[in-house]
């Protein structure tokens, strides 16, 4: 049956070729995860130890500066600076790298030489292991084996030393990624086994507070360095120094343990976090518990396949979706709010940070509504609380800082999507109020306007007032901003409808159509329009000037398709279904050449001008389903599986972006994707696996079975839902929640 008529080698563990068992509790899903995927290329992933959505991320730092230092680790490097306790994973901006610890043997060296600290050690990937909740490496320079594991808020280290009378550690508090400005630093030795300290850094998160408490299993003598020193041999600039040099004797094979707790609140919070979560020196138990936590998270989806590589890619992708947002509440319920004040919350519904919303509203949060809606509700509560504390939703919240990064107000679709799917365990009235506030932003009423960075936040003064659109000669990235505002406003319009707010429903439904202003019939692209009502000239749809043109990390080729809420309307602008499909075909067949002096490095993973390595393209392959060409969705999704994801350090075609790149893979490899968060409808694509079972939190399962599936059989010949033939390649979120079976029969012909 042709469905033309539809309307609309794990490096650290052992692989098994068998399918997952029927009892998720008996399956070691972590064995299928390769944390090194994405640590090369420009994936920027983090291979260290952490728990699902944990506060602390102890792991290796191999470089300090540059774009590929975003997670602190880059696979091509062969030296290691030490192990810091805060890391971002998969971002396009860099920060963190706090409280670095490095074991040493021999004379302890201080200073840095380019990307390496003077105390850095050589290492080999052959002597390196990473698995969920555990990281280990042998430090060649010192002959020390390092092992790290973690709980939610604390880390435990185990170091196996050689015999030495000059063994020790360097605890480097002034170290950070990208050489951040340390405005405040303080380090105190409490006893011959305890150290604590605090720091405030200024960088991407311009008011980031870190407090730590460290407990050592072996007594030490120490020297504190709290003066200043040149940054390098050729740079006489003095930088503040805050380091503890610890020394002791060791016997051959002696193991020394370190426990570290962090808190954004105070040192007492850091100490309580580690003493509560790691009361003993049992490294193996912490490691075992961490693996159990990851297996619990990964068990939310069972896949059946005989392809070991695909299985590793899938469970690594699912693992990457569980790293952020990060817990930001101490064990006593305290946290630092968006007003940078200490708040008393609770541990039942803790606060979270690291919201890369421009990326994650598209697939990460929709995935969470399926596999862990209660956790996603906690994310929603966090966003609402941030609105209350700071006066507005953050666009990109890091450590309770308004970074002002990226565009749009995408807390809105995260909240509206949850609400429309029936997940409403939050203050709905306050959420609605916050959505309206974000859409009509100005500095009036902001509790901390200096913290919000008003010059970086969305401005409603153009298209929501007299002009009716955002003029490209007055606002940078005008087309991208306008398209995203239109979508976000559509989300508000359906939220308003649900709240029986007729006036705002009509108002925001009108704003949702604002995308029409930017479509140029003569070129067939979304194009900048200046304050005189004239098109941006000259115009080149493949031109890119990174973050300084009419688009955002993209070109007209990619951004023309961002109207997920009104695909029929976009098709009508383009001249109807045939013209729309023809234009869509040209996206994937056009030359991949980009033009411009500073083309955006984020435009990556190109198939024609489709850029899978960046988020604006992620919904596009499924647009064919809306114009009766589902076979094109199926073959293009299949080509993306093969060309954009692999079981290798460079196995991602762009920044991981806090789980978004991986969430796309998780959803699509099971056979579906949500094109428009806020509209609880899923588009069927090309299932990669013979069978996928989603274990829902209500005790039911949603199962996707692909009959006659193979690498060549990528086309769907027929589809059934609960035994009944589907007349269209879409199904609802309720179909998932109620527990259903989707059966797809595959073929090598369309």
């Amino acid at each position: 049956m042709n469905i033309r008529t539809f309307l609309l080698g794990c490096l650290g563990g052992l692989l098994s070729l068998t399918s997952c068992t029927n009892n998720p509790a008996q399956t070691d899903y972590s064995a299928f995860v390769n944390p090194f995927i994405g640590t090369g290329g420009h994936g920027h992933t983090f291979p260290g130890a952490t728990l699902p959505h944990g506060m602390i991320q102890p792991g290796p730092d191999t470089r300090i500066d540059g774009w590929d230092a975003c997670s602190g680790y880059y696979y091509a490097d062969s030296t290691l600076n030490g192990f810091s306790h805060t890391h971002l994973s998969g971002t396009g901006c860099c920060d963190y790298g706090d409280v670095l610890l490095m074991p040493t043997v021999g004379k302890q060296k201080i200073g840095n030489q380019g990307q390496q600290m003077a105390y850095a050690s050589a290492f080999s990937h052959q002597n390196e292991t990473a698995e969920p909740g555990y990281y280990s490496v042998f430090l060649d320079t010192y002959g020390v084996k390092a092992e790290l594991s973690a709980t939610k808020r604390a880390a435990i280290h185990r170091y196996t030393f050689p015999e030495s009378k000059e063994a020790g550690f360097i605890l480097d508090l002034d170290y950070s990624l990208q050489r951040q400005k340390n405005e405040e630093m303080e380090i105190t030795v409490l006893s011959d086994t305890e150290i604590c300290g605090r720091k405030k850094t200024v960088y991407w998160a311009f008011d980031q507070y870190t407090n730590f408490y460290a407990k050592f299993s072996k007594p030490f003598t120490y020297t504190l360095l709290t003066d200043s020193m040149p940054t390098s041999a050729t740079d006489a600039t003095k930088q503040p120094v805050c380091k503890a040099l610890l020394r002791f004797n060791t016997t051959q094979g002696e193991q020394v343990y370190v426990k570290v707790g962090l808190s954004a609140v105070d040192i007492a919070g850091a100490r309580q976090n580690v003493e509560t979560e790691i009361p003993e020196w049992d490294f193996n138990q912490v490691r075992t518990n961490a693996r159990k936590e990851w297996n619990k998270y990964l068990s939310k989806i069972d896949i059946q396949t005989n392809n070991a590589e695909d299985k590793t890619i899938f469970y690594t992708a699912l693992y990457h979706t569980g790293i952020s947002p990060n817990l930001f509440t101490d064990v006593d319920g305290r946290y630092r709010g968006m007003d940078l004040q200490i708040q008393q919350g609770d541990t039942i519904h803790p606060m979270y940070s690291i919201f890369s919303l421009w990326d994650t509203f598209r697939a990460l949060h929709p995935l969470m509504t399926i596999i862990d809606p209660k956790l996603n509700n906690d994310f929603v509560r966090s966003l609402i609380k941030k609105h209350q504390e700071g006066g507005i939703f953050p666009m990109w919240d890091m450590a309770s800082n308004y970074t002002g990064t990226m565009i749009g107000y995408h807390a809105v679709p995260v909240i509206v999507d949850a609400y429309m799917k029936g997940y409403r365990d939050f203050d709905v009235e306050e959420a609605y109020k916050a959505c309206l506030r974000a859409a009509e932003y100005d500095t009036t009423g902001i509790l901390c306007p200096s913290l919000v960075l008003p010059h970086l936040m969305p401005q409603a003064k153009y298209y929501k007032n007299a002009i009716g659109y955002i003029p490209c000669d007055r606002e940078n990235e005008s087309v991208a901003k306008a398209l995203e505002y239109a979508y976000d406003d559509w989300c508000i319009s359906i939220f308003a409808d649900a709240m029986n707010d007729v006036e705002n429903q009509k108002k925001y439904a009108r704003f949702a159509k604002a995308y029409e202003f930017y479509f140029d019939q003569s070129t067939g692209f979304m194009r900048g329009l200046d304050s005189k009502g004239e098109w941006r000239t000259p115009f080149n749809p493949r031109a890119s000037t990174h973050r300084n043109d009419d688009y955002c990390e993209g070109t007209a080729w990619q951004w023309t398709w961002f109207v997920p809420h009104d695909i029929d309307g976009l098709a009508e602008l383009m001249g109807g279904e045939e013209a729309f499909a023809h234009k869509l075909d040209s996206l994937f067949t056009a030359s991949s050449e980009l033009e411009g002096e500073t083309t955006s490095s984020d435009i990556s993973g190109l198939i024609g001008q489709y850029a899978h390595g960046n988020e604006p393209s992620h919904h596009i392959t499924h647009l064919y389903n809306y114009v009766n060409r589902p076979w094109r969705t199926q073959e293009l999704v299949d080509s993306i599986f093969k060309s954009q994801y692999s079981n290798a350090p460079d196995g991602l075609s762009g920044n991981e972006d806090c789980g978004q790149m991986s969430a796309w893979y998780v959803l699509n490899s099971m056979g579906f994707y949500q094109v428009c968060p806020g509209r609880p409808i899923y588009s069927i694509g090309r299932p990669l696996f013979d069978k996928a079972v989603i274990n829902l939190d209500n005790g039911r399962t949603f199962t996707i079975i692909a009959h006659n599936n193979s690498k060549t059989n990528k086309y769907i010949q027929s589809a059934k839902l609960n035994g009944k033939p589907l007349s269209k390649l879409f199904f609802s979120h309720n179909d998932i929640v109620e527990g259903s079976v989707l059966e797809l029969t595959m073929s090598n012909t369309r």
Side-chain angles (χ1 to χ4, degrees):
M1 169 186 172
N2 192 315
I3 317 183
R4 291 173 181 260
T5 58
F6 286 175
L7 297 177
L8 299 181
C10 181
L11 298 183
L14 299 175
L15 286 173
S16 169
L17 296 181
T18 61
S19 65
C20 296
T21 67
N22 290 328
N23 185 354
Q26 297 177 358
T27 302
D28 186 13
Y29 298 89
S30 293
F32 309 125
V33 174
N34 175 6
F36 291 109
I37 292 177
T39 59
H42 301 302
H44 298 174
T45 57
F46 156 76
T50 190
L51 258 62
H53 304 287
M55 176 188 289
I56 196 168
Q57 306 87 31
D61 287 13
T62 65
R63 60 173 57 192
I64 302 170
D65 296 314
W67 196 42
D68 289 324
C70 285
S71 75
Y73 180 96
Y74 194 61
Y75 196 82
D77 295 336
S78 58
T79 59
L80 193 150
N81 287 321
F83 309 97
S84 64
H85 290 79
T86 57
H87 293 92
L88 297 167
S89 186
T91 57
C93 290
C94 186
D95 207 301
Y96 279 164
D98 298 304
V99 191
L100 182 133
L101 187 67
M102 184 60 159
T104 60
V105 174
K107 182 179 179 180
Q108 293 176 322
K109 301 175 183 179
I110 301 301
N112 66 72
Q113 304 154 353
Q115 295 278 24
Q116 287 78 44
M117 301 300 293
Y119 49 73
S121 173
F123 77 102
S124 168
H125 294 304
Q126 293 181 340
N127 298 317
E128 183 183 39
T129 298
E131 63 187 48
Y134 175 80
Y135 175 85
S136 177
V137 67
F138 187 79
L139 301 172
D140 295 336
T141 301
Y142 301 118
V144 174
K145 180 181 180 180
E147 299 175 272
L148 289 73
S149 191
T151 60
K152 287 286 188 181
R153 301 171 176 87
I156 187 167
H157 303 234
R158 180 167 64 189
Y159 297 98
T160 305
F161 281 87
E163 182 179 2
S164 176
K165 294 182 179 180
E166 294 184 299
F169 291 102
I170 295 176
L171 197 158
D172 197 338
L173 193 59
D174 63 79
Y175 176 93
S176 63
L177 299 175
Q178 306 290 35
R179 307 178 199 274
Q180 301 162 37
K181 180 182 178 183
N182 294 309
E183 282 196 339
E184 301 173 16
M185 286 191 297
E186 179 183 303
I187 192 166
T188 303
V189 177
L190 300 173
S191 71
D192 63 359
T193 59
E194 297 169 288
I195 301 179
C196 66
R198 55 178 291 274
K199 67 187 291 192
K200 176 191 173 187
T201 59
V202 178
Y203 196 64
W204 185 25
F206 54 90
D207 276 309
Q208 187 218 331
Y209 295 83
T210 302
N211 302 274
F212 81 92
Y213 168 83
K215 175 77 171 178
F216 294 77
S217 67
K218 187 178 181 68
F220 53 74
T221 60
Y222 69 92
T223 301
L224 292 183
L225 301 181
T226 55
D227 199 349
S228 60
M229 63 183 296
T231 57
S232 69
T234 59
D235 181 3
T237 304
K238 295 288 187 178
Q239 296 291 335
V241 170
C242 195
K243 308 177 194 293
L245 309 184
L246 315 181
R247 289 178 290 272
F248 41 76
N249 299 337
T250 53
T251 59
Q252 179 63 38
E254 182 176 352
Q255 292 184 331
V256 180
Y257 297 84
V258 188
K259 297 187 289 189
V260 180
L262 294 187
S263 170
V265 176
D266 55 25
I267 292 171
R271 182 169 190 161
Q272 188 176 12
N273 285 342
V274 70
E275 290 180 345
T276 301
E277 295 191 346
I278 313 181
E280 307 296 335
W281 290 106
D282 195 340
F283 182 94
N284 290 336
Q285 188 61 58
V286 173
R287 179 183 177 183
T288 297
N289 291 343
R291 197 174 182 96
K292 286 180 180 177
E293 285 296 309
W294 275 112
N295 281 339
K296 180 180 178 182
Y297 181 84
L298 298 170
S299 71
K300 296 174 187 297
I301 304 176
D302 281 304
I303 60 166
Q304 182 174 308
T305 179
N306 291 322
N307 189 299
E309 293 289 290
D310 288 345
K311 195 165 196 174
T312 294
I313 295 168
F314 178 86
Y315 279 109
T316 304
L318 188 57
Y319 165 78
H320 281 149
T321 69
I323 293 179
S324 59
N326 298 130
L327 181 68
F328 206 60
T329 297
D330 289 350
V331 292
D332 61 3
R334 293 183 303 155
Y335 67 95
R336 190 174 294 272
M338 290 302 290
D339 53 4
L340 299 181
Q341 301 302 305
I342 306 307
Q343 308 287 346
Q344 181 63 60
D346 63 72
T347 56
I348 298 174
H349 300 301
M351 293 292 290
Y352 290 84
S353 186
I354 311 301
F355 283 96
S356 182
L357 295 169
W358 185 80
D359 307 294
T360 58
F361 84 85
R362 305 167 198 265
L364 186 280
H365 287 283
L367 174 65
M368 289 296 114
T369 65
I370 298 171
I371 66 173
D372 202 336
K374 292 179 181 177
L375 178 62
N376 197 63
N377 262 348
D378 281 342
F379 296 157
V380 169
R381 287 191 202 92
S382 291
L383 291 170
I384 295 170
K385 196 67 177 177
K386 291 173 190 296
H387 148 79
Q388 292 173 321
E389 293 165 352
I392 197 166
F393 286 138
M395 289 194 293
W396 215 121
D397 158 51
M398 180 186 164
S400 282
N401 276 243
Y402 285 101
T403 68
T405 302
M406 304 314 295
I407 62 174
Y409 26 96
H410 297 314
V412 171
V414 171
I415 292 170
V416 173
D417 191 50
Y419 180 88
M420 297 305 292
K421 290 174 178 175
Y423 306 121
R424 303 169 184 179
D425 186 17
F426 53 84
D427 188 334
V428 174
E429 292 287 345
E430 187 67 17
Y432 180 57
K433 173 184 173 182
C435 289
L436 294 173
R437 183 76 178 98
E440 299 177 0
Y441 172 80
D442 58 42
T443 56
T444 306
I446 296 296
L447 302 182
C448 303
S450 62
L451 302 181
V452 180
L453 295 177
H455 63 289
L456 293 177
M457 293 293 287
Q459 301 296 318
K461 61 186 177 183
Y462 296 123
Y463 86 104
K464 292 181 179 177
N465 293 308
I467 297 179
Y469 62 92
I470 302 175
C472 62
D473 54 339
R474 297 186 184 178
E475 188 83 6
N476 188 42
E477 300 179 330
S478 61
V479 175
K481 287 177 179 177
L483 294 175
E484 294 205 344
Y485 296 166
Y487 162 68
D488 291 339
D489 287 346
W490 172 82
C491 290
I492 293 175
S493 75
I494 62 172
F495 201 0
D497 186 56
M499 301 296 288
N500 296 314
D501 184 349
V502 176
E503 181 179 352
N504 275 318
Q505 188 280 323
K506 293 179 179 178
K507 176 181 177 181
Y508 282 92
R510 185 173 73 254
F511 291 155
K513 299 288 285 186
Y515 71 87
E516 295 175 345
F517 280 103
Y518 309 93
F519 186 76
D520 175 18
Q521 297 280 353
S522 66
T523 62
F525 290 98
M526 297 289 180
R527 183 175 176 183
L529 193 65
D530 68 20
S531 53
K532 296 180 181 179
E534 298 177 355
W535 294 117
R536 165 81 76 183
T537 304
F539 172 72
N540 180 352
R542 67 179 71 248
S544 168
T545 304
H546 180 63
R547 300 308 304 267
N548 195 28
D549 55 23
D550 294 340
Y551 308 94
C552 178
E553 297 183 359
T555 68
W557 270 112
Q558 292 107 44
W559 276 99
T560 292
W561 306 98
F562 191 76
V563 190
H565 59 291
D566 192 9
I567 297 168
D568 289 343
L570 180 61
E572 185 177 347
L573 281 180
M574 290 185 174
E577 181 181 306
E578 290 294 329
F580 181 91
H582 179 74
K583 182 71 174 180
L584 199 51
D585 285 339
S586 67
L587 171 70
F588 293 94
T589 58
S591 166
S592 295
E593 180 184 2
L594 300 174
E595 298 178 11
E597 293 183 3
T598 56
T599 58
S600 178
S601 349
D602 293 289
I603 307 173
S604 60
L606 288 162
I607 302 174
Q609 281 288 318
Y610 170 86
H612 190 73
N614 210 24
E615 281 66 28
S617 290
H618 277 187
H619 67 294
I620 295 177
T621 54
H622 281 262
L623 296 183
Y624 282 104
N625 273 357
Y626 292 80
V627 289
N628 300 306
R629 288 158 177 80
W631 61 90
R632 285 291 286 151
T633 291
Q634 294 152 25
E635 61 193 15
L636 285 166
V637 167
D638 182 77
S639 74
I640 292 170
F641 292 154
K642 295 174 180 176
S643 64
Q644 308 296 315
Y645 296 87
S646 66
N647 181 18
D650 62 348
L652 297 172
S653 58
N655 302 157
E656 164 63 18
D657 285 319
C658 297
Q660 169 59 28
M661 191 71 69
S662 289
W664 186 97
Y665 184 89
V666 169
L667 290 168
N668 276 278
S669 64
M670 289 192 293
F672 60 92
Y673 191 72
Q674 187 175 2
V675 171
C676 181
R679 181 178 288 131
I681 298 295
Y682 300 96
S683 167
I684 298 174
R686 184 274 197 262
L688 185 60
F689 306 113
D690 300 337
K691 185 177 182 180
V693 179
I694 303 174
N695 299 300
L696 303 171
D697 68 344
N698 61 9
R700 299 171 181 171
T701 59
F702 180 71
T703 303
I704 305 99
I705 300 172
H707 299 294
N708 199 33
N709 189 37
S710 71
K711 288 292 184 182
T712 56
N713 291 358
K714 57 190 173 186
Y715 298 105
I716 298 173
Q717 295 300 296
S718 63
K720 293 180 180 179
L721 185 66
N722 294 330
K724 298 180 180 179
L726 276 177
S727 60
K728 53 187 178 180
L729 279 178
F730 299 90
F731 61 89
S732 73
H733 187 74
N734 280 340
D735 292 325
I736 293 179
V737 174
E738 291 171 0
S740 301
V741 177
L742 175 65
E743 294 180 82
L744 306 171
T745 300
M746 311 302 295
S747 170
N748 61 3
T749 59
R750 66 187 194 187

